[in-house]
Amino acid sequence: MGIVLKQSFRNTIIIYSAFLIGGINTIVFYPRFLGKDFYGMVVFLLSASNLIMPLTAFGIQYTIVKFFSSYTTKREQDIFLSSVLFVPLLIALPLGYFWDYMHDWIMNSLVNEDNKYIKDYTFNIYLVAVACAYFELFYSWTKVQLQTVFGNILKELWNRAVIMILLLAVFFKVFLPEEFIFYLTLAYALRTLVMMGHAFYTYLPKFYFKLPSNYLEIFKYSFYIILAGSAGAILIDIDKVMIPGKDVIEEAAYYSVAVFIGSFIEAPSRAMTQILQPLTSKSLNAFNTKEVESLYKKSSINLLLVGGLFFILVNCGVHELFKLMPDKGYSGGELVVLMISLAKLTSMFLGSNGAIISNSKFYKITMPLAVGSSLFVYYLNTLFYFDMELGTDGLALATLTTIFVFNLIKLWFVNYKFSITPFTPKSFHLFLVIVSVFSMFYFWNFSLPEIKVAHFSIAPIVNIVLKSILITIVYVFLIVKLKISNEFDDLLQKFYTWQSK
């Protein structure tokens, strides 16, 4: 678990730095510099590209992680990597050729009359999808070498930093808001080129123009994973894509802010998963079930520990956070934040569950699970959002319900096939800590007078900071007192030792 914690810690710092920049973009810059209409359009276009990306990638990013460690010679590994380089083009080139038909379908099926100005930007959906597909390919290329940090910087930090620069450029009138999408698309393409250079620097194979001996197995796996990946993308982004079909596009901006805040807690999961994927695959290929179980339990308790803290911090401070937003339309998203963050927390509890399923011989189950979850969330979105008119709260409820139900299924499946669970004796204690601290701090804030700096009220910021410090002290005290995680205790011990030097 040492390499997992080491690289996960670095990746977590990177991801939270990225979230900090993203938070400034989302809460401060986007609403003020780009405006809610153009912000809503950016949300729609990027979400649509995320739906297309798994199809374009053909699941090859997962295929690399699954099969690379199964080859025993460098020549076999080089043949494998050479063969996957051109796979995304098999989808991307025909898709680009017929994009006019895709454009018509997007405008007729997904966008109502109030949002027709999206028509000038639909080709950017295709360009971003292709760029992201190749980025994920080269990122997986470095993952199997157990080098995730630089790729994580590009994946998490690059886009948010670029967006901040572009938004500032709009503010200083370097270019118009209408040109923002063009430069953002260019940034996605440049990111892919940088990732490609790093991948070849990390591991440059001898290129062969031939297929691996097990190419049929690889193709079959990719076929299942592409369907699972496409369905998984639907679960994540279908709600943002559906909004312009019913409401004005500014609602997508309001909803996206709440989802972003609620998703803040999943950074440790994203960081740890990047290194857990290849390690779990390696353990499964070596038939080391004990190591798989160890990774499963340790990842679960540690992700729930960190995720639980940020779940409490986010939801106990969100009311004050929305006071900083310039438009009152953003402030109605507290329930969305709660449901999205709860959905993320339940997924974090599963630890390496997804890596176990997708890298084992039972990977085929990922397709019916993902397809089932996508159909389920689409039905619930239609029911709650369009039929029952619950607004964006209904979209969040659909997401929470779907994730909870299908996480239970995945939990049962891994236990049924491998006879392992993520539960440890400390899991129940940790649940009690999270519920108790959340209940203590959710319903009150510090009573502070109005504090203004340059006509801007900083009272909400002071309230959030003071409350967060108090919550963290209480939470960490209980975690240490109950000895919830050996890894967390070791990390604190190393910190104390370093401080005393």
Side-chain angles (χ1 to χ4, degrees):
M1 196 72 180
I3 190 172
V4 176
L5 289 176
K6 184 177 180 181
Q7 292 211 30
S8 296
F9 178 71
R10 293 175 180 175
N11 287 334
T12 299
I13 292 175
I14 293 167
I15 290 174
Y16 272 124
S17 299
F19 266 89
L20 177 61
I21 295 173
I24 295 172
N25 292 338
T26 301
I27 297 171
V28 181
F29 287 176
Y30 262 128
R32 290 170 172 83
F33 298 169
L34 203 62
K36 56 191 177 184
D37 291 336
F38 272 107
Y39 181 23
M41 185 175 67
V42 171
V43 169
F44 172 80
L45 294 177
L46 293 182
S47 297
S49 71
N50 287 338
L51 292 179
I52 296 173
M53 189 280 285
L55 176 67
T56 309
F58 201 72
I60 212 66
Q61 70 271 37
Y62 304 107
T63 304
I64 292 173
V65 174
K66 163 71 175 173
F67 287 97
F68 183 84
S69 62
S70 68
Y71 297 108
T72 56
T73 68
K74 184 179 185 302
R75 184 175 187 274
E76 290 177 326
Q77 291 174 342
D78 289 354
I79 290 173
F80 170 66
L81 290 177
S82 301
S83 65
V84 301
L85 268 177
F86 302 100
V87 170
L89 288 178
L90 299 178
I91 304 295
L93 292 178
L95 184 63
Y97 182 78
F98 292 105
W99 188 256
D100 284 346
Y101 298 100
M102 284 292 296
H103 166 85
D104 293 339
W105 180 81
I106 290 171
M107 297 309 300
N108 293 329
S109 303
L110 301 179
V111 180
N112 65 25
E113 289 296 328
D114 295 328
N115 305 311
K116 288 299 182 182
Y117 52 88
I118 291 174
K119 70 181 187 311
D120 297 327
Y121 301 94
T122 59
F123 192 63
N124 295 87
I125 297 173
Y126 168 76
L127 295 176
V128 171
V130 174
C132 289
Y134 264 102
F135 174 85
E136 292 296 338
L137 185 155
F138 290 118
Y139 189 19
S140 293
W141 190 295
T142 61
K143 281 182 184 179
V144 295
Q145 305 301 323
L146 302 183
Q147 298 294 322
T148 64
V149 175
F150 184 79
N152 194 40
I153 292 173
L154 292 180
K155 184 179 179 69
E156 303 293 346
L157 202 57
W158 172 286
N159 290 340
R160 292 175 172 91
V162 166
I163 286 173
M164 177 175 282
I165 294 170
L166 294 179
L167 288 171
L168 288 170
V170 172
F171 175 73
F172 289 109
K173 302 188 185 320
V174 177
F175 53 78
L176 298 173
E178 291 85 350
E179 300 174 284
F180 178 87
I181 292 292
F182 169 78
Y183 289 107
L184 183 59
T185 303
L186 193 62
Y188 272 94
L190 182 59
R191 183 187 67 156
T192 299
L193 293 176
V194 174
M195 189 70 241
M196 180 179 69
H198 178 67
F200 288 154
Y201 174 79
T202 301
Y203 182 85
L204 184 64
K206 181 179 179 181
F207 292 99
Y208 294 89
F209 291 97
K210 62 181 299 184
L211 294 174
S213 57
N214 60 335
Y215 71 91
L216 287 178
E217 182 184 1
I218 291 171
F219 179 83
K220 185 167 63 172
Y221 177 82
S222 297
F223 177 74
Y224 275 92
I225 291 298
I226 185 180
L227 294 177
S230 298
I234 290 174
L235 176 61
I236 296 171
D237 286 297
I238 189 64
D239 45 7
K240 303 182 193 75
V241 174
M242 292 175 74
I243 289 174
K246 180 178 185 290
D247 289 318
V248 291
I249 203 165
E250 64 191 50
E251 288 294 331
Y254 299 151
Y255 182 68
S256 180
V257 169
V259 170
F260 173 85
I261 297 171
S263 300
F264 183 79
I265 75 164
E266 73 172 341
S269 176
R270 292 164 67 169
M272 189 176 284
T273 299
Q274 288 157 8
I275 192 66
L276 277 175
Q277 280 277 0
L279 286 177
T280 302
S281 176
K282 187 176 182 180
S283 299
L284 287 167
N285 287 332
F287 303 102
N288 190 347
T289 307
K290 287 187 178 179
E291 179 63 17
V292 173
E293 182 177 12
S294 176
L295 289 171
Y296 194 21
K297 292 182 181 298
K298 290 179 179 179
S299 61
S300 172
I301 195 71
N302 286 296
L303 284 175
L304 186 61
L305 187 157
V306 180
L309 173 60
F310 284 97
F311 171 81
I312 298 167
L313 291 174
V314 165
N315 286 285
C316 291
V318 69
H319 179 73
E320 296 297 306
L321 186 62
F322 276 129
K323 291 181 180 179
L324 301 173
M325 302 296 291
D327 193 312
K328 292 187 180 296
Y330 291 98
S331 61
E334 292 183 32
L335 191 55
V336 172
V337 172
L338 179 61
M339 288 188 284
I340 294 297
S341 60
L342 187 57
K344 299 295 183 182
L345 191 63
T346 59
S347 294
M348 292 175 75
F349 169 69
L350 294 190
S352 60
N353 179 284
I356 294 172
I357 295 175
S358 62
N359 290 286
S360 71
K361 64 181 179 180
F362 306 110
Y363 67 86
K364 292 181 181 178
I365 194 65
T366 57
M367 184 181 69
L369 283 175
V371 171
S373 65
S374 65
L375 293 175
F376 194 64
V377 76
Y378 179 80
Y379 168 77
L380 290 182
N381 278 338
T382 303
L383 176 65
F384 295 154
Y385 186 60
F386 288 96
D387 297 340
M388 298 178 66
E389 296 190 350
L390 298 179
T392 52
D393 288 346
L395 296 176
L397 178 60
T399 300
L400 172 60
T401 304
T402 303
I403 289 176
F404 182 77
V405 169
F406 281 85
N407 277 346
L408 284 179
I409 295 173
K410 289 190 286 186
L411 186 69
W412 168 84
F413 182 82
V414 170
N415 182 47
Y416 177 72
K417 293 296 184 181
F418 295 90
S419 299
I420 59 177
T421 73
F423 296 107
T424 70
K426 297 296 184 180
S427 297
F428 180 70
H429 297 161
L430 182 53
F431 278 118
L432 287 180
V433 169
I434 294 171
V435 172
S436 299
V437 178
F438 176 80
S439 301
M440 287 169 57
F441 291 98
Y442 184 71
F443 298 101
W444 70 271
N445 291 293
F446 287 97
S447 298
L448 298 175
E450 188 73 13
I451 308 172
K452 287 194 174 183
V453 175
H455 305 291
F456 180 78
S457 176
I458 64 169
I461 298 175
V462 175
N463 206 326
I464 291 171
V465 171
L466 292 176
K467 196 173 180 182
S468 296
I469 292 172
L470 184 57
I471 289 171
T472 302
I473 292 172
V474 173
Y475 187 85
V476 172
F477 172 78
L478 292 173
I479 293 298
V480 173
K481 194 72 175 176
L482 295 173
K483 299 186 182 299
I484 297 293
S485 166
N486 294 330
E487 289 77 21
F488 184 75
D489 291 344
D490 291 343
L491 191 63
L492 284 180
Q493 186 61 45
K494 289 179 181 178
F495 177 75
Y496 291 144
T497 303
W498 176 77
Q499 286 286 86
S500 61
K501 289 183 179 179

